[in-house]
Amino acid sequence: MDAKERSGRYEMNAPTFHCDCLGALQMGYLGNYMLNAADYHATERGFGWFYLKSINKAWVLSRLCIEMAEMPKANEHFFIETWLESVKRYFTYRNFCIEDAKTGRVLGYARSVWALIDSTTRQPKDLLEVRNGDIATWVNNDKRCEMAPSGRARMTDEARLAASVTAQFSDIDVNGHVNSMKYIEHILNIFPMEWHKRNRIRRFDIAYVAEAYCGDLLNIYTQSMPDGSIAVKITKTNDTEEDKEVVRGIILCS
Amino acid sequence: MDAKERSGRYEMNAPTFHCDCLGALQMGYLGNYMLNAADYHATERGFGWFYLKSINKAWVLSRLCIEMAEMPKANEHFFIETWLESVKRYFTYRNFCIEDAKTGRVLGYARSVWALIDSTTRQPKDLLEVRNGDIATWVNNDKRCEMAPSGRARMTDEARLAASVTAQFSDIDVNGHVNSMKYIEHILNIFPMEWHKRNRIRRFDIAYVAEAYCGDLLNIYTQSMPDGSIAVKITKTNDTEEDKEVVRGIILCS
């Protein structure tokens, strides 16, 4: 099997109405396009969302780190190439390369980590038990992901509550919990328009710690870090549990 | 010029992560796909968003009415066909037909009304002055849009305030104001998850009265009507103007 077959490559475009006021594709939409590309790739190789649903399992995104030298602009076509970097018993490492369709220029990369869970118990499942570990045959060692691995945000007591928003119907996706990319939207929404006009997000690194559901109050905390990055944390508040961390991230602007 | 050329037909799919917790494409995403299809169609025929921007003009969506017998489901492919029903001096009537790609079954229709404005003055411009009225040559009388025209919501003092939300960065699109489909999301968000599980939206009829901007407070009012529909109104509150209606709509469930 050659590297080409082990990678999936999907042409997308940045539709005018998925772009922000500066004419660049919104980060949340780009992230969802990457999730969709991941699902196309997995589906074509026998371990997509629908097949896993039929055996009562699901992929859960555990980490995502996007690093963009440039965002696709309105009406521009781009390719998302995705491949598996490695497969461990409980985690799959999947990378992405985003390329301008016209010039072939690389616009950015992304790294993601996925776990397989049992849909009923929500407990992690051994990836290699699905289709006799067939997934491991798709690992592509020939393609390089030219960005640093995910970091770890170390927030202190100085983190401040920037906003609290209630998770609502449109936040919830086919898995029944808050869509991973909606957290990115909620985080970006805490910055005013003027901030977005002055700052371009170069790297968005996010770790998914727990799931939030419709009706949960999402509390978004931020802290400016000594290296110039912004650390972010979201906790959820609801009637049945103690406050719990759901998301943690680091934003780097240029 | 035949009817085929006068219509544009675009294959789309309902990506898993753009679907709601019932596995159906979210109405707001479907609406944005229709806006994108409209822009592809217009761009291919010389009057798309980019060309108009170059002559300091823009399309503004004035009305949209979507009627779906069925929503595309996760991972299903569908076609959006779009065509101009008629072109008047100040308004263009554009229709849509949504068709299941596998079976050819019609899933639904939509009607929309667009105005052309000067981007600086925000005043309506004569459509027929663009490219010597070339747009009128694209009217397609051969295709039928099999749904009733838009209605008019008549709300009374009994309308109640269901929610107020602040328009934020992710609500704003390439035009610099709240994206038309984000109003649909905000309206659908006022209903709890249980309501969405019991009710399927068959028809969503929305009129865009004024534009809202980042930071505006959007007040969403609803009223149950004698015919079983739900009338909706959004007003905006900000520091510089009186409260002003921005959107008005009617929702019909089945």
Side-chain angles (χ1 to χ4, degrees):
Chain A
M1 192 188 324
D2 65 7
K4 206 171 159 187
E5 246 186 279
R6 279 179 271 134
S7 275
R9 193 174 150 88
Y10 308 96
E11 187 169 355
M12 315 246 171
N13 94 320
T16 315
F17 295 101
H18 289 179
C19 291
D20 65 21
C21 62
L22 303 171
L25 185 60
Q26 290 193 27
M27 179 75 80
Y29 280 109
L30 176 67
N32 255 336
Y33 288 145
M34 293 199 291
L35 296 193
N36 292 327
D39 193 46
Y40 301 153
H41 175 270
T43 298
E44 288 160 9
R45 286 155 187 81
F47 47 93
W49 188 87
F50 260 91
Y51 169 68
L52 290 176
K53 196 182 173 200
S54 75
I55 56 167
N56 199 40
K57 292 187 176 55
W59 287 116
V60 170
L61 183 61
S62 167
R63 298 203 66 130
L64 177 67
C65 183
I66 304 175
E67 190 168 311
M68 299 299 288
E70 209 179 307
M71 269 288 178
K73 303 283 184 316
N75 276 355
E76 283 180 2
H77 285 247
F78 58 95
F79 288 104
I80 296 185
E81 182 171 344
T82 179
W83 68 97
L84 301 182
E85 182 184 281
S86 68
V87 173
K88 308 249 187 289
R89 191 169 288 272
Y90 291 109
F91 290 104
T92 293
Y93 295 78
R94 174 187 284 285
N95 298 336
F96 301 86
C97 175
I98 296 95
E99 208 179 87
D100 185 87
K102 211 189 240 168
T103 62
R105 202 172 67 251
V106 171
L107 302 177
Y109 289 96
R111 294 179 180 276
S112 65
V113 183
W114 300 74
L116 185 74
I117 61 161
D118 179 288
S119 305
T120 311
T121 65
R122 313 301 287 173
Q123 290 302 304
K125 298 298 290 180
D126 185 341
L127 275 160
L128 302 176
E129 282 177 10
V130 174
R131 294 198 195 271
N132 296 316
D134 178 64
I135 186 172
T137 65
W138 296 102
V139 168
N140 183 357
N141 293 312
D142 298 333
K143 178 86 186 169
R144 304 205 68 77
C145 188
E146 296 181 10
M147 61 178 279
S150 293
R152 181 158 172 79
R154 296 187 194 280
M155 295 178 87
T156 67
D157 293 346
E158 282 172 31
R160 82 180 178 90
L161 178 65
S164 288
V165 291
T166 303
Q168 288 172 305
F169 176 70
S170 71
D171 290 311
I172 309 303
D173 73 17
V174 71
N175 288 316
H177 48 74
V178 174
N179 176 260
S180 314
M181 299 309 128
K182 287 288 179 172
Y183 293 111
I184 295 183
E185 278 191 18
H186 287 307
I187 290 169
L188 294 182
N189 279 344
I190 64 175
F191 301 103
M193 184 59 85
E194 286 314 307
W195 184 93
H196 284 285
K197 289 185 176 165
R198 282 194 319 267
N199 292 277
R200 202 185 62 74
I201 291 163
R202 190 164 66 80
R203 188 176 156 112
F204 203 118
D205 190 348
I206 186 163
Y208 298 97
V209 184
E211 291 164 358
Y213 298 90
C214 196
D216 285 352
L217 187 69
L218 304 174
N219 311 295
I220 308 172
Y221 295 86
T222 58
Q223 185 172 4
S224 296
M225 305 308 274
D227 67 353
S229 67
I230 301 165
V232 189
K233 179 176 80 173
I234 303 182
T235 66
K236 66 172 174 180
T237 308
N238 59 37
D239 295 339
T240 57
E241 298 167 293
E242 296 244 316
D243 256 38
K244 197 171 174 179
E245 187 176 88
V246 288
V247 155
R248 181 171 276 240
I250 311 170
I251 300 171
L252 210 57
C253 296
S254 58
Chain B
M1 194 188 325
D2 65 8
K4 206 169 160 189
E5 249 186 276
R6 278 180 272 132
S7 274
R9 191 174 153 86
Y10 308 96
E11 187 167 355
M12 315 250 173
N13 94 319
T16 315
F17 295 101
H18 289 179
C19 291
D20 64 21
C21 62
L22 304 171
L25 184 61
Q26 288 193 27
M27 179 76 79
Y29 281 109
L30 176 67
N32 255 337
Y33 288 146
M34 292 198 293
L35 296 194
N36 291 328
D39 193 46
Y40 301 154
H41 175 269
T43 298
E44 288 159 9
R45 286 156 187 80
F47 47 93
W49 188 86
F50 261 90
Y51 169 68
L52 290 176
K53 195 181 174 200
S54 74
I55 56 167
N56 199 39
K57 292 187 176 56
W59 287 116
V60 170
L61 183 61
S62 167
R63 298 204 67 131
L64 177 68
C65 184
I66 303 175
E67 190 168 310
M68 299 299 289
E70 209 179 308
M71 267 290 177
K73 303 283 184 314
N75 277 355
E76 283 179 3
H77 285 246
F78 58 94
F79 289 105
I80 296 184
E81 183 171 344
T82 179
W83 68 97
L84 301 181
E85 182 184 282
S86 67
V87 174
K88 307 250 188 288
R89 190 169 288 271
Y90 290 109
F91 290 103
T92 294
Y93 295 78
R94 173 186 286 283
N95 298 337
F96 302 86
C97 175
I98 296 95
E99 210 179 87
D100 184 90
K102 209 187 243 169
T103 62
R105 202 171 69 251
V106 171
L107 303 176
Y109 289 96
R111 294 178 179 276
S112 65
V113 182
W114 300 73
L116 185 74
I117 62 161
D118 178 289
S119 304
T120 313
T121 64
R122 313 302 286 174
Q123 291 302 305
K125 297 296 292 182
D126 185 341
L127 277 161
L128 302 175
E129 281 177 10
V130 175
R131 293 197 193 272
N132 295 318
D134 178 64
I135 187 173
T137 64
W138 295 102
V139 168
N140 183 357
N141 292 312
D142 298 332
K143 178 85 185 170
R144 304 204 69 77
C145 187
E146 295 181 10
M147 61 178 279
S150 293
R152 183 162 170 77
R154 296 184 194 282
M155 295 177 87
T156 67
D157 293 345
E158 283 173 31
R160 85 182 175 91
L161 179 65
S164 288
V165 290
T166 303
Q168 287 171 306
F169 176 70
S170 72
D171 290 311
I172 308 303
D173 73 18
V174 71
N175 288 315
H177 48 73
V178 174
N179 175 260
S180 313
M181 298 310 129
K182 287 287 180 173
Y183 293 111
I184 295 184
E185 278 190 19
H186 286 307
I187 291 169
L188 294 182
N189 278 345
I190 64 174
F191 302 103
M193 185 60 84
E194 287 314 307
W195 184 92
H196 284 285
K197 289 184 175 166
R198 284 196 317 268
N199 292 277
R200 205 185 61 73
I201 292 163
R202 191 163 65 76
R203 189 176 156 109
F204 203 118
D205 191 347
I206 187 164
Y208 299 96
V209 183
E211 291 164 0
Y213 299 90
C214 196
D216 286 351
L217 186 69
L218 304 175
N219 310 295
I220 308 172
Y221 296 85
T222 58
Q223 185 172 5
S224 296
M225 305 307 276
D227 66 355
S229 66
I230 301 165
V232 189
K233 179 177 79 172
I234 303 182
T235 66
K236 67 171 172 181
T237 308
N238 58 36
D239 294 339
T240 56
E241 299 168 294
E242 297 245 315
D243 255 37
K244 197 170 174 179
E245 186 176 87
V246 287
V247 154
R248 179 170 280 238
I250 311 170
I251 299 171
L252 211 59
C253 296
S254 60

